[in-house]
Amino acid sequence: MELYDDNPTIDFLKQDKKIDEDKQGNVFFKEELVDTSNQKKFYIESYGCAMNFSDSEIVASILLESGFHPTKNMEESDLILINTCSIREKAEATVRKRLRIFDKAKRNKPGTLVGVLGCMAERLKTKLLEQEKLVDLVVGPDAYRDLPKLISTAEEGDKGVNVFLSREETYADISPIRLQSNGVSAFISIMRGCDNMCSFCVVPFTRGRERSRDAFSIIAEANDLFNQGFREVTLLGQNVDSYKWENPETKETVNFAHLLEMTAKVNPLLRIRFSTSHPKDITDEVIHTMNKHHNICKYIHLPVQSGNSRILKLMNRTYDREWYMERVNSIYKIMPDCAISADIITGFCSETEEEHQETLSIIEFAKYTMSYMFFYSERPGTLAAKKYPDDIPLEVKKRRLSEVIDVQTRISLESNKKDIGKTFEVLIEGVSKRSDLDFKGRNSQNKMIIFPVVEGYQPGDYINVKVNEVSSATLKGIAIA
Ligand code: SAH
Ligand code: SF4
Ligand code: F3S
């Protein structure tokens, strides 16, 4: 579910608040219902993790309220926004490349404002204005409510900057405008920030302190999505297992397991996913709650980062290899049909070949169905940048990464081969990218399954599909009535 910097950019479809429902209850936005020709238009691109994509939906909502209308055509926009990621050097380089393109658009349509939002805005602050002359707005992840004011400032010729990090902001009351939505799955942000200090990671600096969102506002959002026709929600946070919210009236504390259960009860036809779990925090209570509810998907993204205890210690992950393996065992014991995936970093400071081998072996041990794999990229200001030399040569980092990818591809294929002959309940997401004659959808384990379109079925419907062919990335099958 993560959408890291290597994933393609999204812009989004023109939408309007006036909606129309088809017989499935899926929502269609009818742009022709409203004359938007005189309205100011904004265009937005998002990079990075799912949190950023979810934030862009909040930004869209705030802008719509203040009279801006979305466009997917950069050339006709009055305001170009880019929601940025700082996680690796490459992510920032991609953003800088996009800024060059915006520069051209700005020259063709003088008066157009360019705003940098998100993690890179937060990391570089006003330095960004010195480095990138075309930028008019720099807005950090906790300052989006201030956007209308900052835009007015920029329209008057000054720079609009707000990179204040809040201890409270969760945007709980803002109804996100679903961008590029398939009308079936949606993100719900349940917390912001991160209090873990993984030594390689820039997120605590760009997103600030961890805070959990009001549980009732989360449930209300899930209900609302279900009523609009959505059938799957993904609860988002950097470390969802440390979700904790106190009901101000009853003083009762809602933890992540409780929240999962509350969301599962919204409707049995609403699938629940979540991301990301931290191995130090995922509890048996969470695993048992997942097991208890059919509509909580049997899939856990459990980033390991490294399979070696010394490296994990340097990374400040606060668990070791044994702890991680015990968590994996616990998951498979309670839910034998659960799928696990991971994030992996190769070539972290001082990593030896033997230590790298332990990362390869943990992939085999945990039998990840897939992984997001990266080579280490030193980030300015992080603990690792301050304390440990980035001493593994780039070719070695890359060679280790390709070994990790090879093992993961083999393990993914093995896992998929075991699915041949099995029948899964699939939530139809739409037609397949390759052919209109095929549907695509996922099973509970988050595996994508492609199968021939069945008459009478539509996106948002559940259907049983028997798998008959697999690759390392997808399953193919046939629907069973
Ligand atoms: N909160 C999540 C992950 C957030 S960042 C968690 O704790 O698991 C997503 C992934 O990017 C991380 O899991 C890590 O694998 C990778 N990553 C983060 N910083 C990195 C860096 N400096 N170099 C390479 N990969 C990095
Ligand atoms: Fe970064 Fe670690 Fe927080 Fe994840 S848990 S966002 S890797 S500091
Ligand atoms: Fe990137 Fe910020 Fe997410 S650094 S991964 S967009 S929290």
Side-chain angles (χ1 to χ4, degrees):
M1 193 50 68
E2 269 88 321
L3 301 149
Y4 296 133
D5 49 295
D6 314 324
N7 286 54
T9 303
I10 59 159
D11 50 16
F12 64 83
L13 304 167
K14 273 191 174 179
Q15 304 179 344
D16 196 274
K17 282 192 162 169
K18 286 190 183 162
I19 54 171
D20 199 29
E21 289 194 13
D22 72 358
K23 65 180 186 336
Q24 285 296 303
N26 285 336
V27 177
F28 290 105
F29 294 87
K30 290 259 168 109
E31 62 185 272
E32 67 270 22
L33 292 176
V34 171
D35 175 16
T36 61
S37 52
N38 291 325
Q39 274 182 319
K40 284 194 194 157
K41 295 188 177 67
F42 74 96
Y43 165 90
I44 188 166
E45 286 183 7
S46 310
Y47 294 82
C49 63
M51 294 288 302
N52 246 20
F53 284 71
S54 165
D55 278 3
S56 292
E57 301 183 334
I58 288 166
V59 167
S61 176
I62 292 169
L63 291 179
L64 211 66
E65 283 291 313
S66 70
F68 275 84
H69 203 80
T71 174
K72 57 177 177 174
N73 179 5
M74 186 205 302
E75 265 74 43
E76 67 160 18
S77 67
D78 305 282
L79 172 64
I80 301 177
L81 297 173
I82 181 159
N83 199 352
T84 60
C85 174
S86 286
I87 203 83
R88 284 167 291 275
E89 211 176 301
K90 194 171 158 231
E92 291 200 355
T94 310
V95 169
R96 289 190 195 275
K97 261 192 231 146
R98 290 304 294 162
L99 289 174
R100 301 284 88 79
I101 307 282
F102 299 165
D103 199 16
K104 274 189 214 142
K106 193 170 171 158
R107 265 186 272 137
N108 288 340
K109 189 168 182 279
T112 305
L113 299 176
V114 171
V116 178
L117 314 180
C119 292
M120 205 170 153
E122 192 61 52
R123 192 179 84 74
L124 294 166
K125 304 186 170 61
T126 48
K127 248 190 259 165
L128 204 52
L129 297 171
E130 291 152 30
Q131 294 167 358
E132 303 286 349
K133 300 285 180 232
L134 82 157
V135 173
D136 305 291
L137 297 159
V138 177
V139 190
D142 287 345
Y144 297 143
R145 284 182 203 268
D146 209 19
L147 262 168
K149 203 178 92 210
L150 297 169
I151 293 167
S152 302
T153 308
E155 281 171 342
E156 282 157 23
D158 288 325
K159 301 288 180 186
V161 181
N162 188 343
V163 288
F164 176 73
L165 282 176
S166 159
R167 278 175 178 254
E168 285 95 34
E169 182 62 271
T170 58
Y171 300 111
D173 56 314
I174 294 183
S175 246
I177 301 295
R178 305 293 161 183
L179 307 175
Q180 255 212 352
S181 167
N182 60 6
V184 177
S185 346
F187 295 133
I188 302 183
S189 181
I190 64 163
M191 59 205 294
R192 301 181 70 81
C194 183
D195 280 353
N196 296 316
M197 274 288 181
C198 302
S199 62
F200 52 80
C201 185
V202 80
V203 173
F205 304 98
T206 62
R207 295 244 158 202
R209 298 305 297 269
E210 185 179 290
R211 63 222 101 115
S212 296
R213 177 179 166 189
D214 177 326
F216 295 125
S217 76
I218 296 170
I219 300 306
E221 193 171 325
N223 248 310
D224 201 38
L225 284 164
F226 185 82
N227 292 333
Q228 286 178 42
F230 286 84
R231 290 294 173 265
E232 184 176 85
V233 295
T234 303
L235 307 180
L236 289 181
Q238 293 299 348
N239 179 7
V240 289
D241 301 282
S242 69
Y243 177 88
K244 200 168 158 209
W245 179 76
E246 191 187 271
N247 184 334
E249 275 149 37
T250 62
K251 299 289 170 212
E252 267 171 324
T253 301
V254 178
N255 68 16
F256 184 57
H258 304 149
L259 182 71
L260 264 183
E261 176 130 37
M262 286 160 71
T263 325
K265 286 181 176 164
V266 165
N267 194 296
L269 287 177
L270 183 69
R271 271 188 175 179
I272 320 299
R273 299 188 183 277
F274 53 89
S275 186
T276 303
S277 300
H278 195 296
K280 84 172 154 62
D281 293 317
I282 188 163
T283 59
D284 283 354
E285 189 191 5
V286 165
I287 307 170
H288 283 296
T289 308
M290 290 175 72
N291 195 36
K292 207 166 107 188
H293 295 274
H294 176 74
N295 58 335
I296 304 181
C297 291
K298 305 296 175 278
Y299 169 65
I300 301 176
H301 184 58
L302 196 67
V304 65
Q305 314 298 2
S306 162
N308 172 263
S309 295
R310 188 187 74 90
I311 293 294
L312 287 169
K313 192 153 195 237
L314 292 185
M315 287 177 161
N316 204 22
R317 287 292 285 181
T318 68
Y319 55 84
D320 59 12
R321 181 179 172 93
E322 284 63 43
W323 172 278
Y324 188 90
M325 289 165 88
E326 188 280 324
R327 289 290 76 207
V328 168
N329 282 336
S330 207
I331 294 167
Y332 287 144
K333 194 166 152 221
I334 298 168
M335 292 182 295
D337 64 337
C338 190
I340 305 177
S341 64
D343 291 351
I344 295 170
I345 299 177
T346 66
F348 187 66
C349 313
S350 79
E351 184 190 64
T352 65
E353 287 302 329
E354 292 71 36
E355 289 165 342
H356 162 63
Q357 290 297 325
E358 287 201 78
T359 298
L360 299 180
S361 69
I362 211 153
I363 302 174
E364 307 241 7
F365 170 83
K367 298 192 172 55
Y368 301 126
T369 50
M370 56 88 75
S371 290
Y372 295 98
M373 299 159 280
F374 317 98
F375 63 79
Y376 174 57
S377 163
E378 187 179 80
R379 306 310 292 133
T382 56
L383 290 181
K386 287 184 191 151
K387 272 170 74 180
Y388 313 121
D390 180 13
D391 54 0
I392 307 299
L394 186 60
E395 327 74 85
V396 177
K397 286 179 181 174
K398 285 188 172 169
R399 193 253 303 146
R400 290 181 190 169
L401 176 60
S402 73
E403 288 173 13
V404 162
I405 293 171
D406 286 350
V407 173
Q408 181 59 64
T409 308
R410 175 166 57 75
I411 298 294
S412 299
L413 183 62
E414 277 171 24
S415 159
N416 289 352
K417 275 185 179 161
K418 285 194 193 134
D419 291 337
I420 294 177
K422 287 188 194 161
T423 299
F424 294 102
E425 184 181 61
V426 170
L427 174 61
I428 305 173
E429 288 177 20
V431 289
S432 129
K433 246 188 257 160
R434 293 220 181 121
S435 158
D436 284 357
L437 301 175
D438 287 333
F439 272 143
K440 64 173 179 187
R442 281 165 214 273
N443 65 6
S444 177
Q445 289 72 14
N446 206 35
K447 289 187 181 179
M448 184 63 90
I449 307 188
I450 310 289
F451 57 99
V453 165
V454 186
E455 220 181 298
Y457 282 82
Q458 309 199 26
D461 288 345
Y462 290 95
I463 190 164
N464 287 327
V465 178
K466 187 171 181 187
V467 173
N468 54 22
E469 194 188 325
V470 301
S471 71
S472 63
T474 29
L475 312 181
K476 282 187 179 168
I478 293 177
I480 300 184

